[in-house]
Amino acid sequence: MQAGSVSDVVGHTPLIKLQSLSKITGCEIFAKAEYLNPGGSVKDRTALGIIQSAEKQGLLKPGDTIVEGTAGNTGIGLATLAAQRGYHCVIVMPDNQSKEKYHALEALGVELVKVAPCPFANPNHFYHTARALAESRPNSFWANQFENTANFEIHYKTTGPEIWEQMGQRVDAFVSSVGTGGTLAGVSAYLKEQDPKVFTLLADPMGSGLYSFVKSGKFEAQGSSITEGIGIMRLTENFKKARVDEAVQIHDEQMLSMLYYLAQHEGLLVGTSAALNIFASYQYALQNQGKGLRIATVMGDSALRYQSKVFNPQFLNEKNLKIMPLIHS
């Protein structure tokens, strides 16, 4: 394949069968390698969808500035595409994210603004800070990935159809965590249009309120997580479009056990959200052991984006986290 620009190679990522986990569970578990997008994550799709939508509406023109609040991956996706399309980027992030993300953004030439982590209701939250910056600067466009449904639409138009075709139009379940809701919403909507029996499972880290919302209609959270970019405490416009059948909570110890297992048994260095997604898929497969279900999930990014944390014994000790062997491994 010859590409005219970096935008042309967003999407069409491989779907990898997780051989050892499939053998253990008697189900077929597949994971979409979104870390192979040019900016290194599933958020490249979101960035492309938002930019294309804004260009179509006349909201972006060469020389303009894209402003976004992000845990990092959407910012990297936006900056990757902006560099080629003639836009500047201002990225607002919490100051507790992995240093690998900051380094990547700095290399891409963005203006990086770090803010202290705080509840969404606080006006200093990275989301509100990004909006205020966009409103205060001329020729600026606020990407607004949480509420901009171009996010949902790009996954409905690309990610969902790719999974459906790559799995030979036979999908029994789709598992995904939620950051903005775009991936789960777009994929679940598409897959259920093809087959209403597709079971959709939301995998939520501790500290997020989505598990509680699915179960009771209320946003309540317990505990905390070292995962980045997933788990929220509000209903976004993108997540409103998700078609969710069930939700599970995954602890950091479970996520880390899967992250290390995948490295050592599948040759896959996956990020924290990917390990969480795959643990939830594995757990669901075990509950249906031997039934031959075909389960799909998403590997949002690579462990190399978090290696200063997840491969750092000092960091893990500080968080009182131990790497436990995966059950049945």
Side-chain angles (χ1 to χ4, degrees):
M1 174 184 175
Q2 186 180 61
S5 72
V6 70
S7 301
D8 296 332
V9 291
V10 174
H12 303 289
T13 54
L15 189 73
I16 299 172
K17 183 175 180 179
L18 305 179
Q19 297 287 349
S20 65
L21 295 179
S22 297
K23 183 177 181 180
I24 290 167
T25 61
C27 294
E28 293 183 285
I29 303 174
F30 298 86
K32 197 151 173 59
E34 289 297 291
Y35 57 84
L36 294 178
N37 280 305
S41 85
V42 66
K43 293 296 186 177
D44 286 12
R45 295 185 192 254
T46 297
L48 182 61
I50 288 173
I51 287 174
Q52 288 178 332
S53 174
E55 289 172 340
K56 188 175 181 180
Q57 296 176 68
L59 301 175
L60 264 178
K61 60 184 183 300
D64 283 356
T65 298
I66 300 170
V67 182
E68 183 59 318
T70 167
N73 279 338
T74 302
I76 293 169
L78 288 167
T80 299
L81 300 177
Q84 176 262 319
R85 297 168 95 98
Y87 305 124
H88 306 289
C89 272
V90 177
I91 301 300
V92 184
M93 288 179 64
D95 64 10
N96 63 343
Q97 304 300 287
S98 67
K99 65 182 182 181
E100 289 84 358
K101 292 177 181 176
Y102 302 129
H103 292 165
L105 286 163
E106 289 163 355
L108 287 163
V110 309
E111 179 184 339
L112 183 60
V113 179
K114 297 180 185 178
V115 297
C118 59
F120 184 75
N122 189 316
N124 295 318
H125 189 275
F126 69 85
Y127 176 90
H128 306 303
T129 302
R131 178 178 60 187
L133 281 173
E135 291 173 348
S136 68
R137 299 189 181 192
N139 303 315
S140 291
F141 166 74
W142 179 35
N144 194 12
Q145 60 170 325
F146 291 90
E147 308 301 332
N148 186 339
T149 55
N151 180 356
F152 155 83
E153 289 166 4
I154 193 74
H155 289 290
Y156 176 82
K157 293 176 180 176
T158 68
T159 321
E162 287 174 31
I163 290 172
W164 182 247
E165 291 304 319
Q166 287 171 321
M167 292 189 66
Q169 302 182 352
R170 290 177 53 221
V171 182
D172 293 303
F174 175 70
V175 180
S176 179
S177 54
V178 165
T180 62
T183 302
L184 179 56
V187 175
S188 66
Y190 181 85
L191 292 179
K192 282 184 174 288
E193 283 183 9
Q194 311 313 307
D195 181 359
K197 297 189 298 296
V198 175
F199 181 82
T200 53
L201 181 65
L202 188 159
D204 211 29
M206 302 303 293
S208 172
L210 289 170
Y211 170 80
S212 171
F213 178 77
V214 170
K215 291 290 192 178
S216 68
K218 298 178 181 178
F219 283 94
E220 297 174 345
Q222 294 181 334
S224 63
S225 174
I226 66 166
T227 57
E228 297 183 13
I230 55 171
I232 50 177
M233 289 291 293
R234 65 189 191 277
L235 184 60
T236 67
E237 288 300 318
N238 283 291
F239 185 67
K240 285 179 183 179
K241 297 180 178 295
R243 299 178 62 182
V244 180
D245 293 312
E246 185 57 275
V248 293
Q249 280 184 314
I250 306 298
H251 294 260
D252 279 351
E253 290 84 358
Q254 296 171 316
M255 176 274 293
L256 285 168
S257 72
M258 182 58 77
L259 189 149
Y260 275 77
Y261 177 90
L262 291 168
Q264 294 166 10
H265 295 267
E266 298 278 0
L268 292 170
L269 292 168
V270 304
T272 53
S273 68
L276 184 142
N277 283 348
I278 294 171
F279 187 91
S281 302
Y282 167 71
Q283 192 176 62
Y284 180 70
L286 283 178
Q287 292 165 2
N288 293 275
Q289 190 154 17
K291 294 182 181 179
L293 297 184
R294 293 167 60 80
I295 302 164
T297 192
V298 172
M299 297 185 286
D301 62 10
S302 165
L304 301 182
R305 194 150 278 177
Y306 308 93
Q307 59 184 327
S308 61
K309 292 185 175 183
V310 298
F311 298 147
N312 181 350
Q314 182 179 345
F315 172 82
L316 296 176
N317 286 336
E318 288 172 357
K319 297 296 182 180
N320 197 29
L321 292 169
K322 295 181 180 179
I323 309 302
M324 305 297 291
L326 189 70
I327 298 173
H328 300 301
S329 67

